[in-house]
Amino acid sequence: MPEIVELAERPYVALRGTVQLDQISAFADRMHEVIRWLVAREIAPNDAPFFKYDVVDMEAGLVLEIGFPVDDLHAGEGEIVTGVLPAGRYATVSHHGHPDGLMDATRDLLAWGEAEGVEWDADGDKWVSRLEIYLSDPREVPNMADWDTELQFKLK
């Protein structure tokens, strides 16, 4: 069952791109580029990796960032971007299972929000902060059917 939580702001480093729905896994495979960038600058992530959906437009493509929260704001370069996940109230829900199930989990969270009358911090297809937090380390949990993921969608 979703819940509403208050979260502090979180600086992050990510790779940004525009992808079609069927290209998300290929884009996710580029997470190593973010890791290499962080290692080269001796910057340690302070929490689990995430996908941040900035624009969700099924026809034109998704503007997506994959990255990690870090302790301090840094300057990006090239496709590596930096920013701050804003503080505020977020609707959250946990998903246990293969990431293929996240589309249904997202649909259910959006339907819950509509039924509860919550107002998402979004302007049409553009979201302020719509996250999938990947809590399972693939090195420790190789079976994706056993992964834990948390959705965090910012509220106005």
Side-chain angles (χ1 to χ4, degrees):
M1 181 60 124
E3 64 179 323
I4 296 176
V5 299
E6 189 79 29
L7 296 173
E9 70 178 21
R10 298 162 281 174
Y12 70 89
V13 173
L15 176 70
R16 183 178 177 92
T18 301
V19 300
Q20 297 302 314
L21 190 60
D22 63 353
Q23 298 170 328
I24 291 175
S25 63
F27 188 67
D29 288 341
R30 295 181 63 196
M31 180 68 82
H32 64 89
E33 295 175 37
V34 180
I35 294 168
R36 275 200 310 263
W37 191 92
L38 290 167
V39 167
R41 288 152 186 80
E42 299 180 350
I43 301 168
N46 65 17
D47 209 344
F50 63 82
F51 287 15
K52 180 175 180 277
Y53 293 82
D54 293 330
V55 177
V56 180
D57 183 328
M58 297 305 182
E59 292 179 19
L62 307 169
V63 178
L64 181 62
E65 295 178 7
I66 53 174
F68 293 90
V70 294
D71 289 334
D72 301 304
L73 187 59
H74 297 275
E77 59 186 289
E79 290 181 287
I80 300 293
V81 298
T82 62
V84 176
L85 302 173
R89 294 179 333 124
Y90 285 75
T92 69
V93 70
S94 295
H95 169 74
H96 179 80
H98 195 284
D100 287 350
L102 288 169
M103 188 173 279
D104 289 340
T106 297
R107 183 197 64 233
D108 293 347
L109 179 58
L110 293 171
W112 170 86
E114 185 175 330
E116 294 294 315
V118 300
E119 194 173 353
W120 305 112
D121 200 349
D123 183 10
D125 295 335
K126 297 178 182 169
W127 287 75
V128 170
S129 190
R130 177 173 163 167
L131 305 167
E132 294 172 356
I133 313 289
Y134 288 84
L135 303 173
S136 299
D137 185 333
R139 296 170 296 189
E140 296 170 9
V141 185
N143 184 348
M144 294 172 81
D146 293 328
W147 282 12
D148 289 309
T149 309
E150 181 175 305
L151 301 180
Q152 297 178 353
F153 292 10
K154 188 166 182 316
L155 304 176
K156 280 194 180 182

